[in-house]
Amino acid sequence: MNQVINKKVKFLDLGLQDYKECWDYQESIFGSIVNQKIDNRKAAPEAQVATENYLLFVEHPHVYTLGKSGELSHLLLDEKGLEEKHATFYKINRGGDITYHGPGQLVGYPILDLENFFTDIHKYLRLLEEAIILTLADYGIAAGRINGLTGVWLDHVEQKNPRKICAMGVKSSRWVTMHGFAFNVNADLSYFGNIVPCGIADKAVTSLHLELGRAVDESEVKEKVRNHLVELFGMELV
């Protein structure tokens, strides 16, 4: 365990950024934190240095990403189709299957040393989901979880028309996390028609603006999600 606990989290809103550029940035931060943990293990307790934590918010241009456990067949576009949709495609090192990112979707990448908070990946995923569930409740929308499926769902109890509003996919090594969640706020949902979202063929995808019947102030949504994450994790944003 860390000898020096640091609950300070550097928050950065990156705006609209290319997926690969942001992925490389995540990897650099992730690698730096992991290397610090390795150095700390070799150092005397009094010589250890606190590991850093980050929370990145970003929107991406149209892109499809496939996790380690995903099936390439779940992408329903060939190279020409991707070009026509002005979209890119990447195989990446997170868990989960295929998903879509694009304008109007809030993507959150917490790069945390969980030894500064708790060492429980299940709890980590549930708290990410909870931040979105609480945000949706702020807008009068009841959301929750479906057993055996990650992410945040509407109509999660009766499941007459269950629909996902937020996808999750994370990577963790030495208790350091990267990747995160994708929350459909004002997203163009037609792009989900080009994939089998998260490998689930029989359930729909939705967005906050569709459920409310109006466009949503994305800066307001960001603030709500950020505040819920701070409270749930006991973060101190800097």
Side-chain angles (χ1 to χ4, degrees), residues 65-75 89-99 125 148-150 164 168-171 179 196-200:
T65 69
L66 183 68
K68 292 184 296 183
S69 59
E71 295 286 342
L72 185 57
S73 62
H74 292 160
L75 174 64
F89 169 71
Y90 294 101
K91 293 181 181 179
I92 62 174
N93 59 357
R94 62 161 169 79
D97 205 285
I98 196 164
T99 195
L125 287 167
L149 301 175
T150 58
K164 179 179 278 191
M168 303 277 174
V170 304
K171 171 187 175 182
H179 301 296
V196 180
C198 302
I200 303 168

Tab-separated table of all heavy atoms in Angstrom, residues 65-75 89-99 125 148-150 164 168-171 179 196-200:
chain	number	residue	atom	x	y	z
A	65	THR	N	-14.211	2.311	-30.991
A	65	THR	CA	-13.096	1.655	-30.316
A	65	THR	C	-13.518	0.253	-29.883
A	65	THR	O	-14.644	0.038	-29.429
A	65	THR	CB	-12.618	2.454	-29.086
A	65	THR	OG1	-13.618	2.418	-28.058
A	65	THR	CG2	-12.324	3.894	-29.463
A	66	LEU	N	-12.599	-0.678	-30.027
A	66	LEU	CA	-12.854	-2.085	-29.713
A	66	LEU	C	-11.939	-2.527	-28.582
A	66	LEU	O	-10.718	-2.450	-28.701
A	66	LEU	CB	-12.607	-2.949	-30.952
A	66	LEU	CG	-12.899	-4.440	-30.824
A	66	LEU	CD1	-14.398	-4.695	-30.662
A	66	LEU	CD2	-12.366	-5.197	-32.041
A	67	GLY	N	-12.541	-2.983	-27.475
A	67	GLY	CA	-11.771	-3.448	-26.336
A	67	GLY	C	-11.179	-4.831	-26.548
A	67	GLY	O	-11.466	-5.513	-27.546
A	68	LYS	N	-10.381	-5.263	-25.577
A	68	LYS	CA	-9.640	-6.519	-25.699
A	68	LYS	C	-10.546	-7.737	-25.861
A	68	LYS	O	-10.175	-8.709	-26.522
A	68	LYS	CB	-8.738	-6.697	-24.470
A	68	LYS	CG	-7.598	-5.712	-24.379
A	68	LYS	CD	-6.696	-6.018	-23.197
A	68	LYS	CE	-7.416	-5.864	-21.879
A	68	LYS	NZ	-6.511	-6.098	-20.722
A	69	SER	N	-11.723	-7.689	-25.245
A	69	SER	CA	-12.613	-8.850	-25.295
A	69	SER	C	-13.651	-8.735	-26.408
A	69	SER	O	-14.558	-9.556	-26.500
A	69	SER	CB	-13.330	-9.014	-23.944
A	69	SER	OG	-14.081	-7.847	-23.633
A	70	GLY	N	-13.504	-7.714	-27.257
A	70	GLY	CA	-14.512	-7.458	-28.273
A	70	GLY	C	-14.338	-8.285	-29.538
A	70	GLY	O	-13.288	-8.867	-29.801
A	71	GLU	N	-15.399	-8.310	-30.336
A	71	GLU	CA	-15.415	-9.021	-31.612
A	71	GLU	C	-15.389	-7.998	-32.746
A	71	GLU	O	-16.238	-7.099	-32.790
A	71	GLU	CB	-16.668	-9.881	-31.731
A	71	GLU	CG	-16.765	-11.013	-30.720
A	71	GLU	CD	-15.807	-12.151	-31.041
A	71	GLU	OE1	-15.341	-12.218	-32.200
A	71	GLU	OE2	-15.524	-12.957	-30.147
A	72	LEU	N	-14.436	-8.154	-33.674
A	72	LEU	CA	-14.335	-7.228	-34.797
A	72	LEU	C	-15.611	-7.219	-35.631
A	72	LEU	O	-15.976	-6.194	-36.229
A	72	LEU	CB	-13.137	-7.590	-35.669
A	72	LEU	CG	-12.818	-6.640	-36.833
A	72	LEU	CD1	-12.586	-5.220	-36.329
A	72	LEU	CD2	-11.604	-7.138	-37.611
A	73	SER	N	-16.330	-8.341	-35.639
A	73	SER	CA	-17.579	-8.426	-36.401
A	73	SER	C	-18.655	-7.481	-35.868
A	73	SER	O	-19.663	-7.230	-36.541
A	73	SER	CB	-18.107	-9.864	-36.393
A	73	SER	OG	-18.399	-10.279	-35.066
A	74	HIS	N	-18.449	-6.952	-34.662
A	74	HIS	CA	-19.427	-6.018	-34.085
A	74	HIS	C	-19.297	-4.619	-34.679
A	74	HIS	O	-20.130	-3.756	-34.388
A	74	HIS	CB	-19.279	-5.981	-32.559
A	74	HIS	CG	-19.684	-7.265	-31.898
A	74	HIS	ND1	-19.280	-7.611	-30.621
A	74	HIS	CD2	-20.461	-8.291	-32.341
A	74	HIS	CE1	-19.782	-8.792	-30.324
A	74	HIS	NE2	-20.501	-9.220	-31.339
A	75	LEU	N	-18.251	-4.387	-35.473
A	75	LEU	CA	-18.164	-3.174	-36.284
A	75	LEU	C	-18.796	-3.494	-37.633
A	75	LEU	O	-18.340	-4.390	-38.349
A	75	LEU	CB	-16.714	-2.733	-36.467
A	75	LEU	CG	-16.494	-1.549	-37.423
A	75	LEU	CD1	-17.142	-0.281	-36.882
A	75	LEU	CD2	-14.999	-1.324	-37.670
A	89	PHE	N	-11.337	4.204	-36.426
A	89	PHE	CA	-11.516	2.969	-35.666
A	89	PHE	C	-10.196	2.569	-35.028
A	89	PHE	O	-9.137	2.642	-35.659
A	89	PHE	CB	-11.995	1.847	-36.586
A	89	PHE	CG	-11.957	0.479	-35.948
A	89	PHE	CD1	-12.853	0.136	-34.959
A	89	PHE	CD2	-10.999	-0.449	-36.338
A	89	PHE	CE1	-12.807	-1.122	-34.368
A	89	PHE	CE2	-10.942	-1.702	-35.760
A	89	PHE	CZ	-11.852	-2.041	-34.767
A	90	TYR	N	-10.252	2.152	-33.747
A	90	TYR	CA	-9.051	1.715	-33.027
A	90	TYR	C	-9.360	0.479	-32.188
A	90	TYR	O	-10.415	0.391	-31.554
A	90	TYR	CB	-8.531	2.805	-32.086
A	90	TYR	CG	-8.025	4.031	-32.774
A	90	TYR	CD1	-8.825	5.180	-32.855
A	90	TYR	CD2	-6.757	4.073	-33.335
A	90	TYR	CE1	-8.361	6.320	-33.482
A	90	TYR	CE2	-6.274	5.215	-33.967
A	90	TYR	CZ	-7.095	6.329	-34.039
A	90	TYR	OH	-6.630	7.463	-34.667
A	91	LYS	N	-8.419	-0.468	-32.183
A	91	LYS	CA	-8.414	-1.534	-31.187
A	91	LYS	C	-7.600	-1.019	-30.008
A	91	LYS	O	-6.480	-0.536	-30.192
A	91	LYS	CB	-7.768	-2.797	-31.753
A	91	LYS	CG	-8.555	-3.458	-32.871
A	91	LYS	CD	-7.856	-4.725	-33.349
A	91	LYS	CE	-8.610	-5.399	-34.474
A	91	LYS	NZ	-7.909	-6.621	-34.946
A	92	ILE	N	-8.154	-1.125	-28.798
A	92	ILE	CA	-7.484	-0.529	-27.639
A	92	ILE	C	-7.389	-1.519	-26.485
A	92	ILE	O	-7.936	-2.625	-26.543
A	92	ILE	CB	-8.189	0.770	-27.190
A	92	ILE	CG1	-9.638	0.492	-26.757
A	92	ILE	CG2	-8.178	1.802	-28.303
A	92	ILE	CD1	-10.317	1.698	-26.167
A	93	ASN	N	-6.695	-1.091	-25.431
A	93	ASN	CA	-6.315	-2.012	-24.358
A	93	ASN	C	-7.206	-1.922	-23.126
A	93	ASN	O	-6.779	-2.244	-22.021
A	93	ASN	CB	-4.858	-1.763	-23.953
A	93	ASN	CG	-4.620	-0.331	-23.483
A	93	ASN	OD1	-5.533	0.500	-23.509
A	93	ASN	ND2	-3.406	-0.033	-23.055
A	94	ARG	N	-8.445	-1.492	-23.305
A	94	ARG	CA	-9.395	-1.505	-22.185
A	94	ARG	C	-10.198	-2.797	-22.212
A	94	ARG	O	-10.164	-3.561	-23.170
A	94	ARG	CB	-10.343	-0.302	-22.274
A	94	ARG	CG	-11.190	-0.303	-23.522
A	94	ARG	CD	-12.409	0.582	-23.424
A	94	ARG	NE	-13.052	0.757	-24.722
A	94	ARG	CZ	-13.839	-0.121	-25.308
A	94	ARG	NH1	-14.084	-1.292	-24.734
A	94	ARG	NH2	-14.397	0.144	-26.487
A	95	GLY	N	-10.964	-3.018	-21.147
A	95	GLY	CA	-11.915	-4.106	-21.152
A	95	GLY	C	-13.150	-3.718	-21.951
A	95	GLY	O	-13.330	-2.562	-22.334
A	96	GLY	N	-14.006	-4.694	-22.217
A	96	GLY	CA	-15.249	-4.408	-22.911
A	96	GLY	C	-15.164	-4.661	-24.403
A	96	GLY	O	-14.128	-5.040	-24.941
A	97	ASP	N	-16.271	-4.430	-25.083
A	97	ASP	CA	-16.403	-4.718	-26.507
A	97	ASP	C	-16.281	-3.416	-27.297
A	97	ASP	O	-15.444	-2.572	-26.979
A	97	ASP	CB	-17.740	-5.421	-26.763
A	97	ASP	CG	-17.733	-6.272	-28.015
A	97	ASP	OD1	-17.792	-5.696	-29.118
A	97	ASP	OD2	-17.686	-7.513	-27.910
A	98	ILE	N	-17.132	-3.233	-28.284
A	98	ILE	CA	-17.032	-2.061	-29.157
A	98	ILE	C	-17.957	-0.946	-28.669
A	98	ILE	O	-19.038	-1.208	-28.129
A	98	ILE	CB	-17.362	-2.429	-30.614
A	98	ILE	CG1	-16.867	-1.328	-31.570
A	98	ILE	CG2	-18.847	-2.713	-30.800
A	98	ILE	CD1	-16.806	-1.768	-33.022
A	99	THR	N	-17.518	0.279	-28.848
A	99	THR	CA	-18.364	1.412	-28.522
A	99	THR	C	-18.054	2.566	-29.460
A	99	THR	O	-17.106	2.515	-30.244
A	99	THR	CB	-18.212	1.844	-27.048
A	99	THR	OG1	-19.297	2.705	-26.692
A	99	THR	CG2	-16.899	2.561	-26.808
A	125	LEU	N	-15.869	0.600	-10.519
A	125	LEU	CA	-16.844	0.631	-11.612
A	125	LEU	C	-18.219	1.051	-11.117
A	125	LEU	O	-18.915	1.839	-11.766
A	125	LEU	CB	-16.916	-0.727	-12.295
A	125	LEU	CG	-15.731	-1.102	-13.174
A	125	LEU	CD1	-15.774	-2.587	-13.524
A	125	LEU	CD2	-15.717	-0.268	-14.451
A	148	GLY	N	-25.142	-8.244	-14.562
A	148	GLY	CA	-24.300	-8.894	-15.558
A	148	GLY	C	-23.832	-7.973	-16.663
A	148	GLY	O	-23.026	-8.381	-17.500
A	149	LEU	N	-24.335	-6.724	-16.684
A	149	LEU	CA	-23.950	-5.767	-17.713
A	149	LEU	C	-23.374	-4.516	-17.059
A	149	LEU	O	-23.927	-4.003	-16.099
A	149	LEU	CB	-25.166	-5.376	-18.577
A	149	LEU	CG	-25.886	-6.508	-19.301
A	149	LEU	CD1	-27.116	-5.967	-20.004
A	149	LEU	CD2	-24.957	-7.189	-20.301
A	150	THR	N	-22.257	-4.016	-17.570
A	150	THR	CA	-21.714	-2.775	-17.041
A	150	THR	C	-22.445	-1.595	-17.663
A	150	THR	O	-23.213	-1.732	-18.610
A	150	THR	CB	-20.205	-2.646	-17.339
A	150	THR	OG1	-20.018	-2.715	-18.756
A	150	THR	CG2	-19.406	-3.728	-16.652
A	164	LYS	N	-29.234	1.710	-22.952
A	164	LYS	CA	-28.004	2.170	-22.294
A	164	LYS	C	-27.773	3.641	-22.599
A	164	LYS	O	-27.854	4.064	-23.754
A	164	LYS	CB	-26.811	1.334	-22.772
A	164	LYS	CG	-25.491	1.776	-22.152
A	164	LYS	CD	-24.321	0.922	-22.613
A	164	LYS	CE	-24.231	-0.354	-21.815
A	164	LYS	NZ	-22.949	-1.076	-22.066
A	168	MET	N	-19.181	1.832	-20.089
A	168	MET	CA	-17.984	1.794	-19.257
A	168	MET	C	-16.960	0.845	-19.857
A	168	MET	O	-17.317	-0.209	-20.397
A	168	MET	CB	-18.314	1.301	-17.844
A	168	MET	CG	-19.363	2.088	-17.106
A	168	MET	SD	-18.698	3.541	-16.326
A	168	MET	CE	-20.212	4.303	-15.720
A	169	GLY	N	-15.704	1.198	-19.754
A	169	GLY	CA	-14.619	0.312	-20.152
A	169	GLY	C	-13.330	0.822	-19.546
A	169	GLY	O	-12.947	1.966	-19.789
A	170	VAL	N	-12.693	0.033	-18.711
A	170	VAL	CA	-11.510	0.507	-17.996
A	170	VAL	C	-10.346	-0.467	-18.136
A	170	VAL	O	-10.517	-1.635	-18.488
A	170	VAL	CB	-11.805	0.740	-16.491
A	170	VAL	CG1	-12.968	1.694	-16.302
A	170	VAL	CG2	-12.067	-0.574	-15.771
A	171	LYS	N	-9.175	0.057	-17.854
A	171	LYS	CA	-7.955	-0.739	-17.730
A	171	LYS	C	-7.368	-0.433	-16.357
A	171	LYS	O	-7.456	0.703	-15.881
A	171	LYS	CB	-6.948	-0.360	-18.820
A	171	LYS	CG	-5.567	-0.992	-18.638
A	171	LYS	CD	-4.575	-0.451	-19.646
A	171	LYS	CE	-3.171	-0.986	-19.379
A	171	LYS	NZ	-2.176	-0.434	-20.329
A	179	HIS	N	-8.796	4.850	-19.188
A	179	HIS	CA	-10.074	4.767	-19.904
A	179	HIS	C	-11.186	5.116	-18.912
A	179	HIS	O	-10.925	5.764	-17.902
A	179	HIS	CB	-10.250	3.409	-20.573
A	179	HIS	CG	-9.177	3.085	-21.570
A	179	HIS	ND1	-8.977	3.827	-22.728
A	179	HIS	CD2	-8.202	2.127	-21.584
A	179	HIS	CE1	-7.962	3.328	-23.408
A	179	HIS	NE2	-7.469	2.311	-22.734
A	196	VAL	N	-22.588	-3.187	-33.089
A	196	VAL	CA	-23.381	-3.876	-32.078
A	196	VAL	C	-22.872	-3.331	-30.746
A	196	VAL	O	-21.835	-3.777	-30.247
A	196	VAL	CB	-23.193	-5.408	-32.150
A	196	VAL	CG1	-24.039	-6.091	-31.085
A	196	VAL	CG2	-23.545	-5.922	-33.539
A	197	PRO	N	-23.538	-2.312	-30.194
A	197	PRO	CA	-22.977	-1.576	-29.059
A	197	PRO	C	-22.616	-2.471	-27.880
A	197	PRO	O	-23.466	-3.184	-27.355
A	197	PRO	CB	-24.080	-0.587	-28.682
A	197	PRO	CG	-24.920	-0.467	-29.913
A	197	PRO	CD	-24.871	-1.817	-30.559
A	198	CYS	N	-21.348	-2.445	-27.503
A	198	CYS	CA	-20.846	-3.239	-26.383
A	198	CYS	C	-21.143	-4.721	-26.563
A	198	CYS	O	-21.203	-5.475	-25.585
A	198	CYS	CB	-21.400	-2.727	-25.055
A	198	CYS	SG	-21.000	-0.991	-24.726
A	199	GLY	N	-21.346	-5.129	-27.811
A	199	GLY	CA	-21.614	-6.531	-28.102
A	199	GLY	C	-23.008	-6.987	-27.736
A	199	GLY	O	-23.300	-8.187	-27.743
A	200	ILE	N	-23.915	-6.044	-27.427
A	200	ILE	CA	-25.272	-6.386	-26.985
A	200	ILE	C	-26.236	-6.026	-28.112
A	200	ILE	O	-26.495	-4.852	-28.381
A	200	ILE	CB	-25.642	-5.627	-25.697
A	200	ILE	CG1	-24.606	-5.927	-24.600
A	200	ILE	CG2	-27.033	-6.021	-25.227
A	200	ILE	CD1	-24.703	-5.014	-23.404
